[in-house]
């Protein structure tokens, strides 16, 4: 059997963090088994589904690196096929037309609530003679669900789950206007797409019982179900925007790398021993539904940020340089001159050691590309206004101007000599120099920065600070 999984989001908003994890688990399971990962956009709610939301789902999956096989499928475009199956069930006696009016349904629910019974449909048109059908009511088509026995789901995560059939009412398959319901459309699409494993959030577990009934009545193979626990916030409440439940594009804009997001989402509810840092190749090799936990995972923004810092330190310098340059160009506007891009390239190896997000990395690299005179932040301005700052800068500028071999070792040795002559620690001597060259009080090795900037730019920035 070839494994076929699917991710089936509703395009009524962004691709949220829970949906992204569901997509990842489906993608990994398919890749682990050498199978197929499909994308189906469940856009039957045309009033809420928008082209922009569909595009955001595509972009979110592509940024995460979860590329699907074949073309994405629109559920709305298959509505005629869904109706065809509903009528097939009708003709086989597994469904029936229901003429209950909205007023009747309201009264039915009110009575059931008053009597403490389930609020489902009471089956009043299940076996009724259609000669009694009111001409003023357009009927819906309902499933003639089994009333005796049980429906059993052998779930790969939740275990064996059972519900009595008398707890499930005769659900609507086709509305009065002929449009299919979600429950019907999902089953038909999963069958026609050849889906073998349905991996989704456990908020769909109750849907599985109803969907399994349609599969059985159509004499179709029931896919393997795996309902994964939802993600909670640090306070154990269902994850919401206040916890960080944003669209994946928001995490991208925060400066997260796609590989860090994949690793973090993988560890939300799945584990392989004590492994925390898991490469894509290992994830594909190791992933199995048996290792998905039954308890909700907790989203931790600090943990994600720290993990992202690891991946930034491990990332290829050329790739990071391009990402930083792209970010700087977005901020600064015009294209950067090649000499300034070269400075970022030379400094990226040191800069990435301190950064936890791409945004931090971009900010820390900005001083390499800014025009003179450099903007000075408040802390650096305070350093430059110190009693001895100007004197130290003049001493350093004069000494460095005479250096022929402009290398970190030579520059450092000269600075130490000057500090010794002045009777101060070298760090104190260099504080105003760092502020003058970077506009801040933090940077990589100052002598490395000087070499990347070059003699002319270094001395020019010192002159600006003195001026």
């Amino acid at each position: 059997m070839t494994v076929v999984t699917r991710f089936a989001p509703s395009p009524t908003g962004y691709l949220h963090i829970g949906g992204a994890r569901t997509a990842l688990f489906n993608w990994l399971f398919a890749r682990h088994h050498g199978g197929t990962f499909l994308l189906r956009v469940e856009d039957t709610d045309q009033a809420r589904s928008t082209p922009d939301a569909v595009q955001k789902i595509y972009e979110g999956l592509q940024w995460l690196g979860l590329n699907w096989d074949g073309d994405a499928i629109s559920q709305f475009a298959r509505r005629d096929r869904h109706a065809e199956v509903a009528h097939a069930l009708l003709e086989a006696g597994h469904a029936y037309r229901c003429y209950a009016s909205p007023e009747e349904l309201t009264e039915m629910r009110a009575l059931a609530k008053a009597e403490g019974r389930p609020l489902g449909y009471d089956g009043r048109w299940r076996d009724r003679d259609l000669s009694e059908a009111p001409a003023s009511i357009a009927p819906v088509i309902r499933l003639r669900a089994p009333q005796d026995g049980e429906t059993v789901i052998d779930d790969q995560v939740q275990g064996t789950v059972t519900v009595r059939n008398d707890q499930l009412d005769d659900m609507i398959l086709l509305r009065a206007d002929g449009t299919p319901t979600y429950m019907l459309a999902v089953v038909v699409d999963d069958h026609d797409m050849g889906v073998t494993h349905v991996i989704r959030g456990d908020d769909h577990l109750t849907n599985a019982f109803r969907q399994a009934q349609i599969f059985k009545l159509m004499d179709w193979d029931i896919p393997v179900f795996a309902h994964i626990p939802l993600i909670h916030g640090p306070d154990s409440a269902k994850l919401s925007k206040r916890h960080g439940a944003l669209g994946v594009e928001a995490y991208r804009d925060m400066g997260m790398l796609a590989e860090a997001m994949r690793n973090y989402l993988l560890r939300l509810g799945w584990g392989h021993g004590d492994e925390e840092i898991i490469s894509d190749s290992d994830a594909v090799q190791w992933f199995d539904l048996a290792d998905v936990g039954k308890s909700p995972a907790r989203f931790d923004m600090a943990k994600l940020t720290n993990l992202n810092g690891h991946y930034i330190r491990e990332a290829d310098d050329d790739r990071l340089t391009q990402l930083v340059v792209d970010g700087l160009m977005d901020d600064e506007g015009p294209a950067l001159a090649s000499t300034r891009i070269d400075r970022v390239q030379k400094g990226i190896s040191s800069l990435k050691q301190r950064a936890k997000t791409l945004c931090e990395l971009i900010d820390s690299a900005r001083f390499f590309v800014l025009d003179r005179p450099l903007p000075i932040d408040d802390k650096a301005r305070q350093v430059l206004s110190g009693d001895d700052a100007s004197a130290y800068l003049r001493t350093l500028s004069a000494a460095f101007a005479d250096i022929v071999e402009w290398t970190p070792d030579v520059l450092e040795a000269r600075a130490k000599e000057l500090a010794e002559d002045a009777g101060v620690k070298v760090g104190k001597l260099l504080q105003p120099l760092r502020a003058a060259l970077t506009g801040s009080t933090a940077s990589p090795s100052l002598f490395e920065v000087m070499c990347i900037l070059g003699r002319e730019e270094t001395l020019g920035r010192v002159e600006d600070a003195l001026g």
Side-chain angles (χ1 to χ4, degrees), residues 40-79:
R40 181 174 75 233
V41 179
E42 297 191 335
D43 53 356
T44 51
D45 186 351
Q46 287 289 288
R48 298 178 61 205
S49 300
T50 66
D52 180 62
V54 173
Q55 187 60 36
K56 279 186 169 55
I57 289 171
Y58 293 164
E59 292 174 357
L61 291 173
Q62 288 164 348
W63 175 70
L64 281 171
L66 306 182
N67 296 321
W68 56 93
D69 299 309
D71 295 330
I73 294 172
S74 163
Q75 192 168 69
F76 179 73
R78 290 175 43 79
R79 59 194 181 279

Side-chain angles (χ1 to χ4, degrees), residues 82 86 89 94-102 105 108-109 120-121 138-145 168-187 210-211 213-214:
H82 305 147
L89 287 165
H94 298 317
Y96 61 94
R97 289 185 174 88
C98 170
Y99 291 85
S101 68
L105 295 173
M108 181 194 311
R109 294 189 187 97
Y121 176 70
V140 300
I141 294 180
R142 289 183 180 272
L143 183 73
R144 192 185 299 276
L168 304 174
D169 65 352
D170 293 345
M171 65 179 174
I172 296 175
L173 301 176
L174 280 189
R175 302 181 183 91
D177 62 2
T179 59
T181 61
Y182 166 81
M183 288 294 191
L184 173 65
V186 166
V187 173
R210 296 178 178 275
Q211 291 162 5
Q213 291 182 338
I214 300 176

Side-chain angles (χ1 to χ4, degrees), residues 126-206:
R126 183 181 178 102
D127 299 308
R128 194 167 171 179
D129 194 324
L130 293 184
S131 63
E132 301 177 35
S136 60
I137 300 293
V140 300
I141 294 180
R142 289 183 180 272
L143 183 73
R144 192 185 299 276
Q147 296 178 311
D148 301 323
E150 298 175 330
T151 296
V152 179
I153 301 294
D154 290 321
D155 194 271
Q156 296 297 293
V157 175
Q158 304 297 329
T160 300
V161 190
T162 304
V163 67
R164 294 201 325 266
N165 288 332
D166 60 11
Q167 298 296 304
L168 304 174
D169 65 352
D170 293 345
M171 65 179 174
I172 296 175
L173 301 176
L174 280 189
R175 302 181 183 91
D177 62 2
T179 59
T181 61
Y182 166 81
M183 288 294 191
L184 173 65
V186 166
V187 173
V188 176
D189 290 344
D190 282 344
H191 169 74
D192 288 358
M193 293 166 65
V195 173
T196 62
H197 292 74
V198 173
I199 304 169
R200 58 190 179 185
D202 63 7
D203 52 334
H204 286 280
L205 181 58
T206 55

